[in-house]
PDB file of all heavy atoms in Angstrom:
ATOM      1  N   THR O 473      17.481  19.695 -12.879  1.00 97.00           N
ATOM      2  CA  THR O 473      16.119  19.808 -13.398  1.00 97.00           C
ATOM      3  C   THR O 473      15.893  18.754 -14.468  1.00 97.00           C
ATOM      4  O   THR O 473      16.589  18.725 -15.476  1.00 97.00           O
ATOM      5  CB  THR O 473      15.863  21.212 -13.968  1.00 97.00           C
ATOM      6  OG1 THR O 473      16.137  22.168 -12.935  1.00 97.00           O
ATOM      7  CG2 THR O 473      14.421  21.367 -14.414  1.00 97.00           C
ATOM      8  N   MET O 474      14.945  17.886 -14.215  1.00 97.00           N
ATOM      9  CA  MET O 474      14.593  16.857 -15.211  1.00 97.00           C
ATOM     10  C   MET O 474      13.965  17.545 -16.421  1.00 97.00           C
ATOM     11  O   MET O 474      13.464  18.664 -16.314  1.00 97.00           O
ATOM     12  CB  MET O 474      13.576  15.874 -14.619  1.00 97.00           C
ATOM     13  CG  MET O 474      14.082  15.002 -13.495  1.00 97.00           C
ATOM     14  SD  MET O 474      12.803  13.759 -13.118  1.00 97.00           S
ATOM     15  CE  MET O 474      13.087  13.513 -11.385  1.00 97.00           C
ATOM     16  N   PRO O 475      13.953  16.859 -17.569  1.00 97.00           N
ATOM     17  CA  PRO O 475      13.368  17.482 -18.757  1.00 97.00           C
ATOM     18  C   PRO O 475      11.908  17.884 -18.565  1.00 97.00           C
ATOM     19  O   PRO O 475      11.407  18.785 -19.234  1.00 97.00           O
ATOM     20  CB  PRO O 475      13.521  16.418 -19.843  1.00 97.00           C
ATOM     21  CG  PRO O 475      13.873  15.147 -19.146  1.00 97.00           C
ATOM     22  CD  PRO O 475      14.535  15.537 -17.873  1.00 97.00           C
ATOM     23  N   THR O 476      11.219  17.237 -17.639  1.00 95.00           N
ATOM     24  CA  THR O 476       9.817  17.587 -17.384  1.00 95.00           C
ATOM     25  C   THR O 476       9.684  18.750 -16.401  1.00 95.00           C
ATOM     26  O   THR O 476       8.576  19.135 -16.055  1.00 95.00           O
ATOM     27  CB  THR O 476       9.074  16.374 -16.795  1.00 95.00           C
ATOM     28  OG1 THR O 476       9.858  15.855 -15.698  1.00 95.00           O
ATOM     29  CG2 THR O 476       8.881  15.294 -17.830  1.00 95.00           C
ATOM     30  N   GLY O 477      10.821  19.274 -15.951  1.00 94.00           N
ATOM     31  CA  GLY O 477      10.773  20.405 -15.033  1.00 94.00           C
ATOM     32  C   GLY O 477      10.870  20.012 -13.573  1.00 94.00           C
ATOM     33  O   GLY O 477      11.004  20.865 -12.692  1.00 94.00           O
ATOM     34  N   GLU O 478      10.781  18.726 -13.279  1.00 94.00           N
ATOM     35  CA  GLU O 478      10.927  18.265 -11.897  1.00 94.00           C
ATOM     36  C   GLU O 478      12.359  18.502 -11.423  1.00 94.00           C
ATOM     37  O   GLU O 478      13.316  18.243 -12.158  1.00 94.00           O
ATOM     38  CB  GLU O 478      10.602  16.778 -11.807  1.00 94.00           C
ATOM     39  CG  GLU O 478       9.125  16.482 -11.916  1.00 94.00           C
ATOM     40  CD  GLU O 478       8.351  17.093 -10.765  1.00 94.00           C
ATOM     41  OE1 GLU O 478       8.678  16.792  -9.614  1.00 94.00           O
ATOM     42  OE2 GLU O 478       7.442  17.895 -11.023  1.00 94.00           O
ATOM     43  N   VAL O 479      12.493  18.984 -10.189  1.00 95.00           N
ATOM     44  CA  VAL O 479      13.821  19.347  -9.689  1.00 95.00           C
ATOM     45  C   VAL O 479      14.279  18.343  -8.623  1.00 95.00           C
ATOM     46  O   VAL O 479      13.571  18.084  -7.651  1.00 95.00           O
ATOM     47  CB  VAL O 479      13.797  20.765  -9.088  1.00 95.00           C
ATOM     48  CG1 VAL O 479      15.182  21.127  -8.541  1.00 95.00           C
ATOM     49  CG2 VAL O 479      13.363  21.775 -10.150  1.00 95.00           C
ATOM     50  N   LEU O 480      15.459  17.785  -8.850  1.00 96.00           N
ATOM     51  CA  LEU O 480      16.066  16.886  -7.864  1.00 96.00           C
ATOM     52  C   LEU O 480      17.054  17.675  -7.024  1.00 96.00           C
ATOM     53  O   LEU O 480      17.947  18.331  -7.554  1.00 96.00           O
ATOM     54  CB  LEU O 480      16.815  15.753  -8.565  1.00 96.00           C
ATOM     55  CG  LEU O 480      15.993  14.752  -9.373  1.00 96.00           C
ATOM     56  CD1 LEU O 480      16.916  13.736 -10.027  1.00 96.00           C
ATOM     57  CD2 LEU O 480      14.980  14.058  -8.483  1.00 96.00           C
ATOM     58  N   GLU O 481      16.869  17.596  -5.709  1.00 95.00           N
ATOM     59  CA  GLU O 481      17.799  18.237  -4.783  1.00 95.00           C
ATOM     60  C   GLU O 481      18.112  17.264  -3.671  1.00 95.00           C
ATOM     61  O   GLU O 481      17.250  16.481  -3.267  1.00 95.00           O
ATOM     62  CB  GLU O 481      17.157  19.478  -4.154  1.00 95.00           C
ATOM     63  CG  GLU O 481      16.947  20.612  -5.125  1.00 95.00           C
ATOM     64  CD  GLU O 481      16.193  21.747  -4.459  1.00 95.00           C
ATOM     65  OE1 GLU O 481      14.960  21.697  -4.421  1.00 95.00           O
ATOM     66  OE2 GLU O 481      16.846  22.677  -3.964  1.00 95.00           O
ATOM     67  N   ASP O 482      19.326  17.347  -3.156  1.00 96.00           N
ATOM     68  CA  ASP O 482      19.705  16.545  -1.999  1.00 96.00           C
ATOM     69  C   ASP O 482      19.448  15.054  -2.223  1.00 96.00           C
ATOM     70  O   ASP O 482      19.025  14.344  -1.307  1.00 96.00           O
ATOM     71  CB  ASP O 482      18.954  17.032  -0.737  1.00 96.00           C
ATOM     72  CG  ASP O 482      19.253  18.493  -0.447  1.00 96.00           C
ATOM     73  OD1 ASP O 482      20.397  18.919  -0.676  1.00 96.00           O
ATOM     74  OD2 ASP O 482      18.327  19.210  -0.016  1.00 96.00           O
ATOM     75  N   VAL O 483      19.658  14.588  -3.463  1.00 97.00           N
ATOM     76  CA  VAL O 483      19.549  13.161  -3.749  1.00 97.00           C
ATOM     77  C   VAL O 483      20.934  12.612  -4.115  1.00 97.00           C
ATOM     78  O   VAL O 483      21.840  13.376  -4.467  1.00 97.00           O
ATOM     79  CB  VAL O 483      18.554  12.863  -4.893  1.00 97.00           C
ATOM     80  CG1 VAL O 483      17.149  13.232  -4.491  1.00 97.00           C
ATOM     81  CG2 VAL O 483      18.971  13.567  -6.179  1.00 97.00           C
ATOM     82  N   THR O 484      21.061  11.291  -4.033  1.00 97.00           N
ATOM     83  CA  THR O 484      22.384  10.672  -4.168  1.00 97.00           C
ATOM     84  C   THR O 484      22.339   9.397  -5.014  1.00 97.00           C
ATOM     85  O   THR O 484      22.810   8.346  -4.580  1.00 97.00           O
ATOM     86  CB  THR O 484      22.906  10.321  -2.760  1.00 97.00           C
ATOM     87  OG1 THR O 484      21.896   9.497  -2.108  1.00 97.00           O
ATOM     88  CG2 THR O 484      23.159  11.546  -1.916  1.00 97.00           C
ATOM     89  N   PRO O 485      21.782   9.460  -6.225  1.00 97.00           N
ATOM     90  CA  PRO O 485      21.625   8.214  -6.986  1.00 97.00           C
ATOM     91  C   PRO O 485      22.953   7.555  -7.353  1.00 97.00           C
ATOM     92  O   PRO O 485      23.034   6.323  -7.366  1.00 97.00           O
ATOM     93  CB  PRO O 485      20.851   8.645  -8.232  1.00 97.00           C
ATOM     94  CG  PRO O 485      21.002  10.128  -8.318  1.00 97.00           C
ATOM     95  CD  PRO O 485      21.178  10.605  -6.919  1.00 97.00           C
ATOM     96  N   LEU O 486      23.974   8.341  -7.641  1.00 97.00           N
ATOM     97  CA  LEU O 486      25.265   7.737  -7.982  1.00 97.00           C
ATOM     98  C   LEU O 486      25.884   7.071  -6.750  1.00 97.00           C
ATOM     99  O   LEU O 486      26.482   5.996  -6.842  1.00 97.00           O
ATOM    100  CB  LEU O 486      26.199   8.801  -8.564  1.00 97.00           C
ATOM    101  CG  LEU O 486      27.504   8.295  -9.174  1.00 97.00           C
ATOM    102  CD1 LEU O 486      27.260   7.251 -10.262  1.00 97.00           C
ATOM    103  CD2 LEU O 486      28.301   9.469  -9.752  1.00 97.00           C
ATOM    104  N   GLU O 487      25.688   7.696  -5.605  1.00 97.00           N
ATOM    105  CA  GLU O 487      26.237   7.137  -4.367  1.00 97.00           C
ATOM    106  C   GLU O 487      25.547   5.824  -3.993  1.00 97.00           C
ATOM    107  O   GLU O 487      26.206   4.872  -3.558  1.00 97.00           O
ATOM    108  CB  GLU O 487      26.090   8.141  -3.215  1.00 97.00           C
ATOM    109  CG  GLU O 487      26.997   9.366  -3.343  1.00 97.00           C
ATOM    110  CD  GLU O 487      26.360  10.516  -4.110  1.00 97.00           C
ATOM    111  OE1 GLU O 487      25.518  10.260  -5.019  1.00 97.00           O
ATOM    112  OE2 GLU O 487      26.685  11.675  -3.823  1.00 97.00           O
ATOM    113  N   THR O 488      24.222   5.767  -4.154  1.00 98.00           N
ATOM    114  CA  THR O 488      23.556   4.499  -3.830  1.00 98.00           C
ATOM    115  C   THR O 488      23.970   3.424  -4.834  1.00 98.00           C
ATOM    116  O   THR O 488      24.137   2.254  -4.465  1.00 98.00           O
ATOM    117  CB  THR O 488      22.012   4.634  -3.788  1.00 98.00           C
ATOM    118  OG1 THR O 488      21.542   5.157  -5.030  1.00 98.00           O
ATOM    119  CG2 THR O 488      21.569   5.509  -2.632  1.00 98.00           C
ATOM    120  N   LEU O 489      24.149   3.811  -6.090  1.00 98.00           N
ATOM    121  CA  LEU O 489      24.611   2.840  -7.092  1.00 98.00           C
ATOM    122  C   LEU O 489      25.962   2.265  -6.686  1.00 98.00           C
ATOM    123  O   LEU O 489      26.147   1.035  -6.672  1.00 98.00           O
ATOM    124  CB  LEU O 489      24.719   3.502  -8.476  1.00 98.00           C
ATOM    125  CG  LEU O 489      25.363   2.629  -9.562  1.00 98.00           C
ATOM    126  CD1 LEU O 489      24.480   1.438  -9.917  1.00 98.00           C
ATOM    127  CD2 LEU O 489      25.673   3.455 -10.822  1.00 98.00           C
ATOM    128  N   GLU O 490      26.882   3.143  -6.342  1.00 98.00           N
ATOM    129  CA  GLU O 490      28.225   2.663  -5.991  1.00 98.00           C
ATOM    130  C   GLU O 490      28.185   1.817  -4.717  1.00 98.00           C
ATOM    131  O   GLU O 490      28.916   0.831  -4.599  1.00 98.00           O
ATOM    132  CB  GLU O 490      29.185   3.843  -5.824  1.00 98.00           C
ATOM    133  CG  GLU O 490      29.401   4.664  -7.102  1.00 98.00           C
ATOM    134  CD  GLU O 490      30.008   3.893  -8.280  1.00 98.00           C
ATOM    135  OE1 GLU O 490      30.386   2.718  -8.105  1.00 98.00           O
ATOM    136  OE2 GLU O 490      30.086   4.466  -9.384  1.00 98.00           O
ATOM    137  N   ALA O 491      27.339   2.193  -3.782  1.00 98.00           N
ATOM    138  CA  ALA O 491      27.238   1.411  -2.542  1.00 98.00           C
ATOM    139  C   ALA O 491      26.725   0.006  -2.832  1.00 98.00           C
ATOM    140  O   ALA O 491      27.224  -0.987  -2.288  1.00 98.00           O
ATOM    141  CB  ALA O 491      26.321   2.119  -1.543  1.00 98.00           C
ATOM    142  N   ALA O 492      25.711  -0.081  -3.697  1.00 98.00           N
ATOM    143  CA  ALA O 492      25.148  -1.395  -4.020  1.00 98.00           C
ATOM    144  C   ALA O 492      26.146  -2.226  -4.822  1.00 98.00           C
ATOM    145  O   ALA O 492      26.315  -3.427  -4.579  1.00 98.00           O
ATOM    146  CB  ALA O 492      23.842  -1.230  -4.796  1.00 98.00           C
ATOM    147  N   VAL O 493      26.812  -1.591  -5.762  1.00 98.00           N
ATOM    148  CA  VAL O 493      27.802  -2.288  -6.599  1.00 98.00           C
ATOM    149  C   VAL O 493      28.934  -2.821  -5.721  1.00 98.00           C
ATOM    150  O   VAL O 493      29.384  -3.962  -5.875  1.00 98.00           O
ATOM    151  CB  VAL O 493      28.323  -1.336  -7.698  1.00 98.00           C
ATOM    152  CG1 VAL O 493      29.609  -1.866  -8.315  1.00 98.00           C
ATOM    153  CG2 VAL O 493      27.252  -1.135  -8.777  1.00 98.00           C
ATOM    154  N   ALA O 494      29.366  -2.011  -4.756  1.00 98.00           N
ATOM    155  CA  ALA O 494      30.440  -2.439  -3.864  1.00 98.00           C
ATOM    156  C   ALA O 494      29.972  -3.590  -2.972  1.00 98.00           C
ATOM    157  O   ALA O 494      30.705  -4.545  -2.732  1.00 98.00           O
ATOM    158  CB  ALA O 494      30.911  -1.261  -3.013  1.00 98.00           C
ATOM    159  N   ALA O 495      28.733  -3.482  -2.473  1.00 98.00           N
ATOM    160  CA  ALA O 495      28.230  -4.530  -1.577  1.00 98.00           C
ATOM    161  C   ALA O 495      28.149  -5.866  -2.296  1.00 98.00           C
ATOM    162  O   ALA O 495      28.422  -6.916  -1.709  1.00 98.00           O
ATOM    163  CB  ALA O 495      26.857  -4.136  -1.025  1.00 98.00           C
ATOM    164  N   ILE O 496      27.748  -5.830  -3.543  1.00 97.00           N
ATOM    165  CA  ILE O 496      27.615  -7.072  -4.314  1.00 97.00           C
ATOM    166  C   ILE O 496      28.990  -7.615  -4.695  1.00 97.00           C
ATOM    167  O   ILE O 496      29.179  -8.825  -4.804  1.00 97.00           O
ATOM    168  CB  ILE O 496      26.771  -6.801  -5.592  1.00 97.00           C
ATOM    169  CG1 ILE O 496      25.304  -6.623  -5.228  1.00 97.00           C
ATOM    170  CG2 ILE O 496      26.955  -7.885  -6.634  1.00 97.00           C
ATOM    171  CD1 ILE O 496      24.591  -7.894  -4.822  1.00 97.00           C
ATOM    172  N   ASP O 497      29.964  -6.738  -4.886  1.00 97.00           N
ATOM    173  CA  ASP O 497      31.261  -7.114  -5.469  1.00 97.00           C
ATOM    174  C   ASP O 497      31.025  -7.687  -6.871  1.00 97.00           C
ATOM    175  O   ASP O 497      31.115  -8.896  -7.101  1.00 97.00           O
ATOM    176  CB  ASP O 497      32.020  -8.110  -4.578  1.00 97.00           C
ATOM    177  CG  ASP O 497      33.457  -8.318  -5.082  1.00 97.00           C
ATOM    178  OD1 ASP O 497      33.788  -7.794  -6.175  1.00 97.00           O
ATOM    179  OD2 ASP O 497      34.223  -8.990  -4.386  1.00 97.00           O
ATOM    180  N   VAL O 498      30.730  -6.796  -7.776  1.00 97.00           N
ATOM    181  CA  VAL O 498      30.312  -7.197  -9.120  1.00 97.00           C
ATOM    182  C   VAL O 498      31.359  -8.064  -9.831  1.00 97.00           C
ATOM    183  O   VAL O 498      31.004  -9.094 -10.422  1.00 97.00           O
ATOM    184  CB  VAL O 498      29.916  -5.962  -9.958  1.00 97.00           C
ATOM    185  CG1 VAL O 498      29.599  -6.370 -11.396  1.00 97.00           C
ATOM    186  CG2 VAL O 498      28.698  -5.275  -9.338  1.00 97.00           C
ATOM    187  N   PRO O 499      32.657  -7.719  -9.786  1.00 96.00           N
ATOM    188  CA  PRO O 499      33.625  -8.594 -10.470  1.00 96.00           C
ATOM    189  C   PRO O 499      33.591 -10.033  -9.938  1.00 96.00           C
ATOM    190  O   PRO O 499      33.658 -10.985 -10.716  1.00 96.00           O
ATOM    191  CB  PRO O 499      34.979  -7.929 -10.171  1.00 96.00           C
ATOM    192  CG  PRO O 499      34.638  -6.499  -9.909  1.00 96.00           C
ATOM    193  CD  PRO O 499      33.300  -6.512  -9.243  1.00 96.00           C
ATOM    194  N   ALA O 500      33.447 -10.165  -8.608  1.00 97.00           N
ATOM    195  CA  ALA O 500      33.382 -11.520  -8.047  1.00 97.00           C
ATOM    196  C   ALA O 500      32.135 -12.236  -8.544  1.00 97.00           C
ATOM    197  O   ALA O 500      32.168 -13.432  -8.865  1.00 97.00           O
ATOM    198  CB  ALA O 500      33.388 -11.450  -6.519  1.00 97.00           C
ATOM    199  N   PHE O 501      31.026 -11.496  -8.606  1.00 98.00           N
ATOM    200  CA  PHE O 501      29.804 -12.126  -9.128  1.00 98.00           C
ATOM    201  C   PHE O 501      30.001 -12.575 -10.575  1.00 98.00           C
ATOM    202  O   PHE O 501      29.589 -13.674 -10.965  1.00 98.00           O
ATOM    203  CB  PHE O 501      28.595 -11.186  -9.039  1.00 98.00           C
ATOM    204  CG  PHE O 501      27.404 -11.768  -9.754  1.00 98.00           C
ATOM    205  CD1 PHE O 501      26.625 -12.742  -9.135  1.00 98.00           C
ATOM    206  CD2 PHE O 501      27.108 -11.415 -11.069  1.00 98.00           C
ATOM    207  CE1 PHE O 501      25.571 -13.331  -9.806  1.00 98.00           C
ATOM    208  CE2 PHE O 501      26.048 -12.010 -11.748  1.00 98.00           C
ATOM    209  CZ  PHE O 501      25.274 -12.968 -11.113  1.00 98.00           C
ATOM    210  N   ARG O 502      30.596 -11.701 -11.389  1.00 97.00           N
ATOM    211  CA  ARG O 502      30.777 -12.056 -12.811  1.00 97.00           C
ATOM    212  C   ARG O 502      31.625 -13.327 -12.952  1.00 97.00           C
ATOM    213  O   ARG O 502      31.378 -14.136 -13.848  1.00 97.00           O
ATOM    214  CB  ARG O 502      31.422 -10.896 -13.569  1.00 97.00           C
ATOM    215  CG  ARG O 502      30.528  -9.653 -13.708  1.00 97.00           C
ATOM    216  CD  ARG O 502      29.294  -9.898 -14.560  1.00 97.00           C
ATOM    217  NE  ARG O 502      28.408  -8.737 -14.573  1.00 97.00           N
ATOM    218  CZ  ARG O 502      27.083  -8.803 -14.760  1.00 97.00           C
ATOM    219  NH1 ARG O 502      26.497  -9.977 -14.951  1.00 97.00           N
ATOM    220  NH2 ARG O 502      26.351  -7.714 -14.760  1.00 97.00           N
TER     221      ARG O 502
END
Side-chain angles (χ1 to χ4, degrees):
Chain O
T473 304
M474 293 188 211
T476 50
E478 286 297 304
V479 179
L480 294 178
E481 291 175 275
D482 301 324
V483 294
T484 55
L486 189 56
E487 290 90 330
T488 56
L489 173 68
E490 297 299 354
V493 164
I496 287 288
D497 189 353
V498 175
F501 172 80
R502 292 295 175 207

